[in-house]
Amino acid sequence: MSVAQRSRPELPRVPAMTVLAYHLTGYRRTWRAGVFSSFLLPTLTVLGFGLGVGGYVDQGVNGVPYLEWIVPGLLASTALQVAIAESTFPVFANFQWTRSYTAQNAAPLRVGDIVAGHLAFVLFRAVTASAAFLLVTTLLGAVASAWAVLTLPVVALLALAVAAPTFGYAAAVSSDSWLAMLFRFAVIPTTLFAGVFFPVESLPGGLRHLAYATPLWHAVDLCRAAMLGAPPQWSVPGHLLYLAAWAVGGWALAVRRFRRRLVV
Amino acid sequence: MSKGAAAVGGRRYGRPVTSTAPLIRARGLVKRFGAFTAVDGIDVDVHPGEAFGFLGPNGAGKSSTMRMVGCISPPSGGELRILGMDPVRDGPAIRARLGVCPQLDNLDPDLTVRENLTTYARYFGVPRRTARERAAELLDFVQLTERADSRVEPLSGGMKRRLTIARALVNEPDVVLLDEPTTGLDPQARHLVWERLFRLKQQGVTLVLTTHYMDEAEQLCDRLVVMDGGRIVAEGSPRALIERHSTREVVELRFAAESQEAFAGKLDGLAERVEVLPDRILLYVADGDTAVTQVEARGLTPAAVLVRRSSLEDVFLHLTGRTLVD
Ligand SMILES: Nc1ncnc2c1ncn2[C@@H]1O[C@H](COP(=O)(O)OP(=O)(O)OP(=O)(O)O)[C@@H](O)[C@H]1O
Ligand SMILES: [Mg+2]
């Protein structure tokens, strides 16, 4: 058999899809363990914050019952948590421990395909977790408007906005303790101060501007507008463009960092 | 193409001329990491159907070379063509036709044995169905069918290695790159791998491998280069290398004393070459038995004497001044 005569399959039209398929294959094995927590967690938060804390917030926020007010915020913060959790240790592991990226790099994939395929998986995880959250909160009667479905594209954009730069970060750090630092100094403060639990306006000036700079605040404001039917505090295209800028900038960073790690 | 080129000495050659051009061609190939030069200007040609070996001690630059050939590491200098293409520009097109077994396994420990093959096949555009069929055939080929549906994590090192080799074949590659395919395997697992690689070779697959093992190189390689410090120090078939760089036989003498060194001076003129190692002395000679008689005639009484045929190991020792650590 001559080498020249061998017939060869066409390379995949969208190579990143085959990378996504790989990540989904692994997820098929573990999703059951996660599904419980993605339903339990919203139930507990709604009970704890909405009913528990809400019981002390008699007048609600801006005339909206506290439970209804925080659900959009919790939804966006769920997307953020999942997106970041899925782009820290898993990305680090694929470089350092399982070396899956190295394996993919030896196949006819480009660095961009490897990043895009994994990012698509993170997006899938964030959106399905958010959808589960939405479903549970709706069943618990904490969602008032059908416009709430508009929150899903918003949290998808938020997930990309935070996952892409986190990919770059996780590809650049030399030890996994840097990943724990990211949670401690970025994710937790963001979740606390970006308007999820209380209005950003109640923060002192400097902190308030920091909160406005976080992608989370922009997503929270959009989600809240969609779910409560109230006008957002900032322009809708402005919010979307700001989140998109994070996603695009993060993508550029991630591809750069991945290339530096994989092409040596 | 002239008729004369196709019919040499009255025999017609079946292969088209393009396929007898080297599949891999390197000229003055260099790889630098910062100021450090890992591969220092090597020339290599690998032809279709050949089994080609890189032999060398730790740090010789074997893996660095393999990674450049695998189009995942851009050359720092020189010229490199693989399957007639440029590895930097045509990386994906070349990699589509290569199979790679890296020095360190990078299987997914959480997927099953079978899933490792099917997910990998998809990167090459192998349709799902074909991927499943091929995975089954390959698992049979590397004798892992019984473990097809178990996770990779608990497999033994030898099983993982065989799976990595199977994975390198999912795209029916024209060239398979194997970086130390049998390092760390027990003798039985090693023989199984050799036997499978030999079968691939018989099917016309071009093999490029690196190894520390002389017997591996002798068994598998049609041609090999010995690398040391980023350079090629010798090239040829295993037989030719032994003939050129060693004698027909080697006598190994082990003296009971602390230092073998003390005896070296007393062996002058007995051999073409004398090599003193920490634990023994090697005499390179045409006729081992004659040499042993002469040693005894000088009143020397080594604790152990071994006469053997010369091997690649001796070539290696001669060229690099080092024994290979297995
Ligand atoms: N990414 C890298 N950055 C810096 N130096 C490197 C890198 N990769 C390899 N080297 C250096 O290049 C030299 C050659 O390494 P290489 O891995 O090619 O050797 P090798 O012949 O495969 O050795 P071994 O038999 O131990 O696998 C070594 O000194 C190594 O430290
Ligand atoms: Mg090596």
mmCIF file of all heavy atoms in Angstrom, chain A residues 3 6 8-10 12 18 22 25-26 28-29 99 103-110 263-264, chain B residues 67 72-74 92 95-96 104-106 108 110-111 115 120 122-125 171-174:
data_model
loop_
_atom_site.group_PDB
_atom_site.id
_atom_site.type_symbol
_atom_site.label_atom_id
_atom_site.label_comp_id
_atom_site.label_asym_id
_atom_site.label_seq_id
_atom_site.Cartn_x
_atom_site.Cartn_y
_atom_site.Cartn_z
ATOM 1 N N VAL A 3 1.732 5.141 0.408
ATOM 2 C CA VAL A 3 1.303 6.219 1.281
ATOM 3 C C VAL A 3 0.390 7.200 0.540
ATOM 4 O O VAL A 3 -0.615 7.667 1.043
ATOM 5 C CB VAL A 3 2.558 6.940 1.821
ATOM 6 C CG1 VAL A 3 2.234 8.337 2.278
ATOM 7 C CG2 VAL A 3 3.159 6.123 2.938
ATOM 8 N N ARG A 6 -3.433 6.179 0.099
ATOM 9 C CA ARG A 6 -4.346 5.970 1.221
ATOM 10 C C ARG A 6 -5.380 7.090 1.291
ATOM 11 O O ARG A 6 -5.039 8.259 1.204
ATOM 12 C CB ARG A 6 -3.530 5.928 2.507
ATOM 13 C CG ARG A 6 -4.313 5.364 3.669
ATOM 14 C CD ARG A 6 -3.415 5.220 4.865
ATOM 15 N NE ARG A 6 -2.327 4.268 4.628
ATOM 16 C CZ ARG A 6 -1.296 4.155 5.431
ATOM 17 N NH1 ARG A 6 -1.180 4.913 6.479
ATOM 18 N NH2 ARG A 6 -0.363 3.275 5.177
ATOM 19 N N ARG A 8 -8.002 9.473 3.174
ATOM 20 C CA ARG A 8 -7.907 10.063 4.480
ATOM 21 C C ARG A 8 -9.174 10.864 4.758
ATOM 22 O O ARG A 8 -9.686 11.506 3.852
ATOM 23 C CB ARG A 8 -6.721 11.028 4.389
ATOM 24 C CG ARG A 8 -5.946 11.260 5.497
ATOM 25 C CD ARG A 8 -4.535 11.670 5.211
ATOM 26 N NE ARG A 8 -3.652 10.525 5.312
ATOM 27 C CZ ARG A 8 -3.461 9.844 6.418
ATOM 28 N NH1 ARG A 8 -4.073 10.170 7.526
ATOM 29 N NH2 ARG A 8 -2.649 8.827 6.425
ATOM 30 N N PRO A 9 -9.713 10.805 5.955
ATOM 31 C CA PRO A 9 -10.919 11.597 6.203
ATOM 32 C C PRO A 9 -10.598 13.084 6.135
ATOM 33 O O PRO A 9 -9.472 13.494 6.381
ATOM 34 C CB PRO A 9 -11.326 11.190 7.627
ATOM 35 C CG PRO A 9 -10.078 10.691 8.252
ATOM 36 C CD PRO A 9 -9.241 10.103 7.145
ATOM 37 N N GLU A 10 -11.602 13.859 5.754
ATOM 38 C CA GLU A 10 -11.464 15.313 5.811
ATOM 39 C C GLU A 10 -11.260 15.697 7.269
ATOM 40 O O GLU A 10 -11.895 15.117 8.155
ATOM 41 C CB GLU A 10 -12.761 15.963 5.330
ATOM 42 C CG GLU A 10 -13.047 15.786 3.860
ATOM 43 C CD GLU A 10 -12.204 16.720 3.018
ATOM 44 O OE1 GLU A 10 -12.191 17.922 3.331
ATOM 45 O OE2 GLU A 10 -11.561 16.240 2.072
ATOM 46 N N PRO A 12 -11.967 17.771 10.573
ATOM 47 C CA PRO A 12 -13.270 18.298 10.996
ATOM 48 C C PRO A 12 -13.460 19.745 10.534
ATOM 49 O O PRO A 12 -12.508 20.524 10.537
ATOM 50 C CB PRO A 12 -13.210 18.238 12.526
ATOM 51 C CG PRO A 12 -11.942 17.589 12.896
ATOM 52 C CD PRO A 12 -11.146 17.306 11.685
ATOM 53 N N THR A 18 -14.907 19.026 18.105
ATOM 54 C CA THR A 18 -14.402 17.714 18.527
ATOM 55 C C THR A 18 -13.760 17.820 19.906
ATOM 56 O O THR A 18 -13.759 16.861 20.671
ATOM 57 C CB THR A 18 -13.387 17.144 17.510
ATOM 58 O OG1 THR A 18 -12.225 17.979 17.479
ATOM 59 C CG2 THR A 18 -13.994 17.062 16.117
ATOM 60 N N TYR A 22 -14.976 15.930 23.355
ATOM 61 C CA TYR A 22 -14.091 15.270 24.324
ATOM 62 C C TYR A 22 -14.466 15.663 25.754
ATOM 63 O O TYR A 22 -14.616 14.809 26.631
ATOM 64 C CB TYR A 22 -12.641 15.637 24.019
ATOM 65 C CG TYR A 22 -11.713 15.489 25.206
ATOM 66 C CD1 TYR A 22 -11.263 14.234 25.611
ATOM 67 C CD2 TYR A 22 -11.308 16.600 25.940
ATOM 68 C CE1 TYR A 22 -10.428 14.103 26.715
ATOM 69 C CE2 TYR A 22 -10.478 16.480 27.036
ATOM 70 C CZ TYR A 22 -10.046 15.225 27.419
ATOM 71 O OH TYR A 22 -9.233 15.105 28.509
ATOM 72 N N THR A 25 -17.634 14.099 26.863
ATOM 73 C CA THR A 25 -17.487 12.673 27.150
ATOM 74 C C THR A 25 -17.076 12.462 28.600
ATOM 75 O O THR A 25 -17.605 11.589 29.288
ATOM 76 C CB THR A 25 -16.430 12.040 26.217
ATOM 77 O OG1 THR A 25 -16.801 12.311 24.868
ATOM 78 C CG2 THR A 25 -16.337 10.539 26.433
ATOM 79 N N GLY A 26 -16.143 13.280 29.070
ATOM 80 C CA GLY A 26 -15.731 13.181 30.471
ATOM 81 C C GLY A 26 -16.881 13.563 31.400
ATOM 82 O O GLY A 26 -17.090 12.940 32.444
ATOM 83 N N ARG A 28 -20.052 13.266 30.929
ATOM 84 C CA ARG A 28 -21.093 12.229 30.978
ATOM 85 C C ARG A 28 -20.919 11.321 32.192
ATOM 86 O O ARG A 28 -21.861 10.762 32.724
ATOM 87 C CB ARG A 28 -21.004 11.353 29.720
ATOM 88 C CG ARG A 28 -21.821 11.848 28.563
ATOM 89 C CD ARG A 28 -22.451 10.684 27.832
ATOM 90 N NE ARG A 28 -21.554 9.551 27.688
ATOM 91 C CZ ARG A 28 -21.044 9.175 26.523
ATOM 92 N NH1 ARG A 28 -21.327 9.830 25.436
ATOM 93 N NH2 ARG A 28 -20.258 8.118 26.464
ATOM 94 N N ARG A 29 -19.658 11.180 32.600
ATOM 95 C CA ARG A 29 -19.346 10.297 33.709
ATOM 96 C C ARG A 29 -19.621 10.938 35.070
ATOM 97 O O ARG A 29 -19.829 10.254 36.055
ATOM 98 C CB ARG A 29 -17.868 9.917 33.600
ATOM 99 C CG ARG A 29 -17.418 8.716 34.350
ATOM 100 C CD ARG A 29 -16.063 8.289 33.856
ATOM 101 N NE ARG A 29 -16.111 8.084 32.415
ATOM 102 C CZ ARG A 29 -16.680 7.033 31.854
ATOM 103 N NH1 ARG A 29 -17.183 6.087 32.579
ATOM 104 N NH2 ARG A 29 -16.710 6.921 30.553
ATOM 105 N N ARG A 99 -2.282 16.506 31.303
ATOM 106 C CA ARG A 99 -1.647 16.943 30.050
ATOM 107 C C ARG A 99 -2.522 16.684 28.823
ATOM 108 O O ARG A 99 -2.022 16.391 27.747
ATOM 109 C CB ARG A 99 -0.281 16.274 29.891
ATOM 110 C CG ARG A 99 0.768 16.781 30.875
ATOM 111 C CD ARG A 99 2.150 16.295 30.526
ATOM 112 N NE ARG A 99 2.183 14.856 30.459
ATOM 113 C CZ ARG A 99 2.352 14.085 31.513
ATOM 114 N NH1 ARG A 99 2.502 14.618 32.696
ATOM 115 N NH2 ARG A 99 2.365 12.783 31.379
ATOM 116 N N ALA A 103 -1.776 16.438 24.565
ATOM 117 C CA ALA A 103 -2.258 15.386 23.666
ATOM 118 C C ALA A 103 -3.014 16.006 22.492
ATOM 119 O O ALA A 103 -2.806 15.625 21.335
ATOM 120 C CB ALA A 103 -3.155 14.418 24.425
ATOM 121 N N GLN A 104 -3.870 16.982 22.785
ATOM 122 C CA GLN A 104 -4.639 17.616 21.712
ATOM 123 C C GLN A 104 -3.729 18.371 20.761
ATOM 124 O O GLN A 104 -3.950 18.405 19.551
ATOM 125 C CB GLN A 104 -5.667 18.583 22.327
ATOM 126 C CG GLN A 104 -6.791 17.847 23.030
ATOM 127 C CD GLN A 104 -7.627 18.758 23.914
ATOM 128 O OE1 GLN A 104 -7.305 19.926 24.125
ATOM 129 N NE2 GLN A 104 -8.707 18.212 24.431
ATOM 130 N N ASN A 105 -2.672 18.933 21.319
ATOM 131 C CA ASN A 105 -1.755 19.736 20.515
ATOM 132 C C ASN A 105 -1.004 18.896 19.488
ATOM 133 O O ASN A 105 -0.554 19.404 18.472
ATOM 134 C CB ASN A 105 -0.758 20.417 21.463
ATOM 135 C CG ASN A 105 -0.011 21.548 20.809
ATOM 136 O OD1 ASN A 105 -0.564 22.256 19.989
ATOM 137 N ND2 ASN A 105 1.246 21.691 21.161
ATOM 138 N N ALA A 106 -0.876 17.587 19.749
ATOM 139 C CA ALA A 106 -0.186 16.713 18.802
ATOM 140 C C ALA A 106 -1.118 16.271 17.675
ATOM 141 O O ALA A 106 -0.681 15.690 16.688
ATOM 142 C CB ALA A 106 0.377 15.490 19.526
ATOM 143 N N ALA A 107 -2.416 16.517 17.844
ATOM 144 C CA ALA A 107 -3.396 16.196 16.798
ATOM 145 C C ALA A 107 -3.504 17.419 15.875
ATOM 146 O O ALA A 107 -2.951 18.465 16.176
ATOM 147 C CB ALA A 107 -4.735 15.877 17.455
ATOM 148 N N PRO A 108 -4.230 17.274 14.771
ATOM 149 C CA PRO A 108 -4.287 18.418 13.850
ATOM 150 C C PRO A 108 -5.198 19.543 14.321
ATOM 151 O O PRO A 108 -6.043 20.013 13.571
ATOM 152 C CB PRO A 108 -4.797 17.790 12.548
ATOM 153 C CG PRO A 108 -5.440 16.537 12.927
ATOM 154 C CD PRO A 108 -4.821 16.069 14.184
ATOM 155 N N LEU A 109 -5.055 19.952 15.565
ATOM 156 C CA LEU A 109 -5.822 21.073 16.105
ATOM 157 C C LEU A 109 -4.890 22.266 16.223
ATOM 158 O O LEU A 109 -3.688 22.097 16.382
ATOM 159 C CB LEU A 109 -6.363 20.721 17.499
ATOM 160 C CG LEU A 109 -7.321 19.543 17.593
ATOM 161 C CD1 LEU A 109 -7.439 19.066 19.039
ATOM 162 C CD2 LEU A 109 -8.692 19.927 17.052
ATOM 163 N N ARG A 110 -5.487 23.463 16.168
ATOM 164 C CA ARG A 110 -4.693 24.664 16.444
ATOM 165 C C ARG A 110 -4.932 25.075 17.887
ATOM 166 O O ARG A 110 -5.908 24.643 18.500
ATOM 167 C CB ARG A 110 -5.101 25.798 15.514
ATOM 168 C CG ARG A 110 -4.789 25.509 14.063
ATOM 169 C CD ARG A 110 -5.310 26.609 13.153
ATOM 170 N NE ARG A 110 -5.222 26.192 11.759
ATOM 171 C CZ ARG A 110 -4.110 26.275 11.032
ATOM 172 N NH1 ARG A 110 -3.009 26.772 11.550
ATOM 173 N NH2 ARG A 110 -4.097 25.853 9.782
ATOM 174 N N VAL A 263 3.482 25.705 22.659
ATOM 175 C CA VAL A 263 4.423 25.757 21.530
ATOM 176 C C VAL A 263 5.780 26.188 22.052
ATOM 177 O O VAL A 263 6.056 27.375 22.170
ATOM 178 C CB VAL A 263 3.909 26.726 20.440
ATOM 179 C CG1 VAL A 263 4.850 26.744 19.250
ATOM 180 C CG2 VAL A 263 2.506 26.335 20.011
ATOM 181 N N VAL A 264 6.620 25.197 22.441
ATOM 182 C CA VAL A 264 7.958 25.526 22.942
ATOM 183 C C VAL A 264 9.017 24.742 22.183
ATOM 184 O O VAL A 264 8.741 23.686 21.681
ATOM 185 C CB VAL A 264 8.114 25.233 24.452
ATOM 186 C CG1 VAL A 264 7.451 26.318 25.265
ATOM 187 C CG2 VAL A 264 7.589 23.866 24.783
ATOM 188 N N ARG B 67 9.883 16.361 18.927
ATOM 189 C CA ARG B 67 8.821 17.365 19.036
ATOM 190 C C ARG B 67 8.837 18.312 17.846
ATOM 191 O O ARG B 67 7.795 18.766 17.390
ATOM 192 C CB ARG B 67 8.957 18.118 20.358
ATOM 193 C CG ARG B 67 8.530 17.252 21.569
ATOM 194 C CD ARG B 67 9.025 17.807 22.895
ATOM 195 N NE ARG B 67 8.876 19.231 22.980
ATOM 196 C CZ ARG B 67 7.712 19.850 23.204
ATOM 197 N NH1 ARG B 67 6.638 19.135 23.423
ATOM 198 N NH2 ARG B 67 7.645 21.155 23.231
ATOM 199 N N ILE B 72 5.098 20.317 16.873
ATOM 200 C CA ILE B 72 4.559 21.042 18.018
ATOM 201 C C ILE B 72 5.625 21.959 18.605
ATOM 202 O O ILE B 72 5.352 22.713 19.524
ATOM 203 C CB ILE B 72 4.036 20.088 19.118
ATOM 204 C CG1 ILE B 72 5.072 19.040 19.474
ATOM 205 C CG2 ILE B 72 2.762 19.411 18.670
ATOM 206 C CD1 ILE B 72 4.690 18.224 20.669
ATOM 207 N N SER B 73 6.812 21.894 18.044
ATOM 208 C CA SER B 73 7.908 22.710 18.547
ATOM 209 C C SER B 73 8.610 23.315 17.345
ATOM 210 O O SER B 73 9.190 22.596 16.532
ATOM 211 C CB SER B 73 8.849 21.794 19.352
ATOM 212 O OG SER B 73 10.025 22.455 19.698
ATOM 213 N N PRO B 74 8.521 24.636 17.178
ATOM 214 C CA PRO B 74 9.111 25.244 15.981
ATOM 215 C C PRO B 74 10.637 25.188 16.029
ATOM 216 O O PRO B 74 11.228 25.478 17.069
ATOM 217 C CB PRO B 74 8.614 26.690 16.041
ATOM 218 C CG PRO B 74 8.200 26.925 17.443
ATOM 219 C CD PRO B 74 7.843 25.610 18.042
ATOM 220 N N PRO B 92 -1.119 21.573 11.136
ATOM 221 C CA PRO B 92 -2.266 20.674 11.212
ATOM 222 C C PRO B 92 -2.310 19.649 10.070
ATOM 223 O O PRO B 92 -2.623 18.478 10.301
ATOM 224 C CB PRO B 92 -3.461 21.629 11.161
ATOM 225 C CG PRO B 92 -2.939 22.899 11.739
ATOM 226 C CD PRO B 92 -1.512 22.983 11.276
ATOM 227 N N ARG B 95 0.304 17.039 10.933
ATOM 228 C CA ARG B 95 -0.081 16.254 12.112
ATOM 229 C C ARG B 95 -1.239 15.313 11.803
ATOM 230 O O ARG B 95 -1.381 14.265 12.434
ATOM 231 C CB ARG B 95 -0.440 17.185 13.279
ATOM 232 C CG ARG B 95 0.756 17.981 13.787
ATOM 233 C CD ARG B 95 0.519 18.552 15.179
ATOM 234 N NE ARG B 95 -0.560 19.499 15.220
ATOM 235 C CZ ARG B 95 -0.425 20.823 15.108
ATOM 236 N NH1 ARG B 95 0.772 21.353 14.954
ATOM 237 N NH2 ARG B 95 -1.477 21.613 15.156
ATOM 238 N N ALA B 96 -2.057 15.670 10.827
ATOM 239 C CA ALA B 96 -3.149 14.783 10.431
ATOM 240 C C ALA B 96 -2.615 13.436 9.954
ATOM 241 O O ALA B 96 -3.317 12.426 10.013
ATOM 242 C CB ALA B 96 -3.978 15.440 9.327
ATOM 243 N N LEU B 104 6.143 11.010 27.732
ATOM 244 C CA LEU B 104 5.264 10.876 28.899
ATOM 245 C C LEU B 104 3.846 10.641 28.410
ATOM 246 O O LEU B 104 3.347 11.400 27.584
ATOM 247 C CB LEU B 104 5.289 12.167 29.723
ATOM 248 C CG LEU B 104 6.621 12.544 30.366
ATOM 249 C CD1 LEU B 104 6.548 13.934 30.972
ATOM 250 C CD2 LEU B 104 6.996 11.512 31.421
ATOM 251 N N ASP B 105 3.195 9.616 28.935
ATOM 252 C CA ASP B 105 1.819 9.343 28.538
ATOM 253 C C ASP B 105 0.943 10.537 28.873
ATOM 254 O O ASP B 105 1.080 11.136 29.934
ATOM 255 C CB ASP B 105 1.280 8.122 29.291
ATOM 256 C CG ASP B 105 1.884 6.837 28.757
ATOM 257 O OD1 ASP B 105 2.110 6.760 27.537
ATOM 258 O OD2 ASP B 105 2.129 5.918 29.554
ATOM 259 N N ASN B 106 0.035 10.893 27.970
ATOM 260 C CA ASN B 106 -0.935 11.932 28.308
ATOM 261 C C ASN B 106 -2.348 11.481 27.960
ATOM 262 O O ASN B 106 -3.104 12.179 27.318
ATOM 263 C CB ASN B 106 -0.584 13.269 27.650
ATOM 264 C CG ASN B 106 -0.330 13.126 26.166
ATOM 265 O OD1 ASN B 106 -0.854 12.228 25.524
ATOM 266 N ND2 ASN B 106 0.449 14.015 25.613
ATOM 267 N N ASP B 108 -6.241 10.436 29.010
ATOM 268 C CA ASP B 108 -7.146 11.000 30.001
ATOM 269 C C ASP B 108 -7.487 9.918 31.018
ATOM 270 O O ASP B 108 -8.138 8.938 30.697
ATOM 271 C CB ASP B 108 -8.422 11.523 29.343
ATOM 272 C CG ASP B 108 -9.285 12.262 30.351
ATOM 273 O OD1 ASP B 108 -9.499 11.726 31.461
ATOM 274 O OD2 ASP B 108 -9.740 13.372 30.047
ATOM 275 N N ASP B 110 -9.528 9.764 33.410
ATOM 276 C CA ASP B 110 -10.919 9.611 33.835
ATOM 277 C C ASP B 110 -11.807 8.998 32.763
ATOM 278 O O ASP B 110 -12.923 8.581 33.057
ATOM 279 C CB ASP B 110 -11.492 10.969 34.250
ATOM 280 C CG ASP B 110 -10.771 11.503 35.475
ATOM 281 O OD1 ASP B 110 -10.492 10.697 36.381
ATOM 282 O OD2 ASP B 110 -10.451 12.700 35.505
ATOM 283 N N LEU B 111 -11.312 8.958 31.538
ATOM 284 C CA LEU B 111 -12.091 8.313 30.479
ATOM 285 C C LEU B 111 -11.760 6.832 30.451
ATOM 286 O O LEU B 111 -10.759 6.388 31.005
ATOM 287 C CB LEU B 111 -11.773 8.933 29.115
ATOM 288 C CG LEU B 111 -12.129 10.397 28.906
ATOM 289 C CD1 LEU B 111 -11.946 10.764 27.437
ATOM 290 C CD2 LEU B 111 -13.537 10.702 29.346
ATOM 291 N N GLU B 115 -12.855 5.187 25.237
ATOM 292 C CA GLU B 115 -13.155 6.602 25.010
ATOM 293 C C GLU B 115 -11.889 7.403 24.690
ATOM 294 O O GLU B 115 -11.935 8.363 23.928
ATOM 295 C CB GLU B 115 -13.835 7.210 26.243
ATOM 296 C CG GLU B 115 -15.285 6.783 26.393
ATOM 297 C CD GLU B 115 -15.854 7.102 27.782
ATOM 298 O OE1 GLU B 115 -15.078 7.378 28.720
ATOM 299 O OE2 GLU B 115 -17.080 7.047 27.914
ATOM 300 N N TYR B 120 -10.104 10.838 20.667
ATOM 301 C CA TYR B 120 -8.911 11.302 19.954
ATOM 302 C C TYR B 120 -9.098 11.199 18.445
ATOM 303 O O TYR B 120 -8.662 12.066 17.687
ATOM 304 C CB TYR B 120 -7.683 10.504 20.407
ATOM 305 C CG TYR B 120 -6.390 11.274 20.265
ATOM 306 C CD1 TYR B 120 -6.070 12.293 21.156
ATOM 307 C CD2 TYR B 120 -5.502 11.010 19.234
ATOM 308 C CE1 TYR B 120 -4.904 13.019 21.027
ATOM 309 C CE2 TYR B 120 -4.324 11.732 19.095
ATOM 310 C CZ TYR B 120 -4.036 12.729 20.000
ATOM 311 O OH TYR B 120 -2.875 13.462 19.875
ATOM 312 N N ARG B 122 -11.690 11.640 16.787
ATOM 313 C CA ARG B 122 -12.539 12.715 16.272
ATOM 314 C C ARG B 122 -11.715 13.949 15.898
ATOM 315 O O ARG B 122 -12.085 14.685 14.999
ATOM 316 C CB ARG B 122 -13.594 13.105 17.317
ATOM 317 C CG ARG B 122 -14.453 11.952 17.777
ATOM 318 C CD ARG B 122 -15.547 11.613 16.792
ATOM 319 N NE ARG B 122 -16.483 12.706 16.653
ATOM 320 C CZ ARG B 122 -16.992 13.131 15.498
ATOM 321 N NH1 ARG B 122 -16.641 12.551 14.384
ATOM 322 N NH2 ARG B 122 -17.834 14.118 15.463
ATOM 323 N N TYR B 123 -10.594 14.170 16.591
ATOM 324 C CA TYR B 123 -9.755 15.321 16.242
ATOM 325 C C TYR B 123 -9.249 15.231 14.806
ATOM 326 O O TYR B 123 -8.886 16.224 14.200
ATOM 327 C CB TYR B 123 -8.528 15.430 17.167
ATOM 328 C CG TYR B 123 -8.825 15.545 18.641
ATOM 329 C CD1 TYR B 123 -7.907 15.081 19.582
ATOM 330 C CD2 TYR B 123 -9.997 16.131 19.108
ATOM 331 C CE1 TYR B 123 -8.143 15.195 20.934
ATOM 332 C CE2 TYR B 123 -10.247 16.242 20.462
ATOM 333 C CZ TYR B 123 -9.313 15.771 21.372
ATOM 334 O OH TYR B 123 -9.545 15.876 22.719
ATOM 335 N N PHE B 124 -9.175 14.007 14.304
ATOM 336 C CA PHE B 124 -8.639 13.804 12.955
ATOM 337 C C PHE B 124 -9.755 13.732 11.912
ATOM 338 O O PHE B 124 -9.504 13.434 10.758
ATOM 339 C CB PHE B 124 -7.822 12.510 12.894
ATOM 340 C CG PHE B 124 -6.576 12.553 13.731
ATOM 341 C CD1 PHE B 124 -6.614 12.292 15.091
ATOM 342 C CD2 PHE B 124 -5.352 12.882 13.162
ATOM 343 C CE1 PHE B 124 -5.469 12.345 15.876
ATOM 344 C CE2 PHE B 124 -4.203 12.931 13.927
ATOM 345 C CZ PHE B 124 -4.259 12.658 15.289
ATOM 346 N N GLY B 125 -10.979 13.967 12.373
ATOM 347 C CA GLY B 125 -12.094 13.924 11.437
ATOM 348 C C GLY B 125 -12.575 12.520 11.135
ATOM 349 O O GLY B 125 -13.349 12.314 10.189
ATOM 350 N N ASN B 171 -5.534 7.440 13.437
ATOM 351 C CA ASN B 171 -5.729 8.139 12.162
ATOM 352 C C ASN B 171 -5.029 7.417 11.013
ATOM 353 O O ASN B 171 -4.822 7.996 9.958
ATOM 354 C CB ASN B 171 -5.205 9.574 12.273
ATOM 355 C CG ASN B 171 -3.744 9.624 12.674
ATOM 356 O OD1 ASN B 171 -3.293 8.769 13.425
ATOM 357 N ND2 ASN B 171 -3.006 10.593 12.198
ATOM 358 N N GLU B 172 -4.656 6.156 11.208
ATOM 359 C CA GLU B 172 -3.909 5.392 10.205
ATOM 360 C C GLU B 172 -2.759 6.230 9.656
ATOM 361 O O GLU B 172 -2.709 6.562 8.474
ATOM 362 C CB GLU B 172 -4.844 4.951 9.084
ATOM 363 C CG GLU B 172 -5.942 4.037 9.609
ATOM 364 C CD GLU B 172 -6.738 3.385 8.507
ATOM 365 O OE1 GLU B 172 -7.048 4.098 7.520
ATOM 366 O OE2 GLU B 172 -7.047 2.193 8.622
ATOM 367 N N PRO B 173 -1.806 6.580 10.533
ATOM 368 C CA PRO B 173 -0.765 7.525 10.140
ATOM 369 C C PRO B 173 0.215 6.946 9.125
ATOM 370 O O PRO B 173 0.393 5.726 9.043
ATOM 371 C CB PRO B 173 -0.050 7.812 11.461
ATOM 372 C CG PRO B 173 -0.275 6.600 12.283
ATOM 373 C CD PRO B 173 -1.637 6.105 11.920
ATOM 374 N N ASP B 174 0.840 7.838 8.374
ATOM 375 C CA ASP B 174 1.913 7.434 7.461
ATOM 376 C C ASP B 174 3.226 7.282 8.216
ATOM 377 O O ASP B 174 4.074 6.478 7.849
ATOM 378 C CB ASP B 174 2.102 8.499 6.377
ATOM 379 C CG ASP B 174 0.867 8.634 5.515
ATOM 380 O OD1 ASP B 174 0.174 7.624 5.330
ATOM 381 O OD2 ASP B 174 0.586 9.748 5.056
#
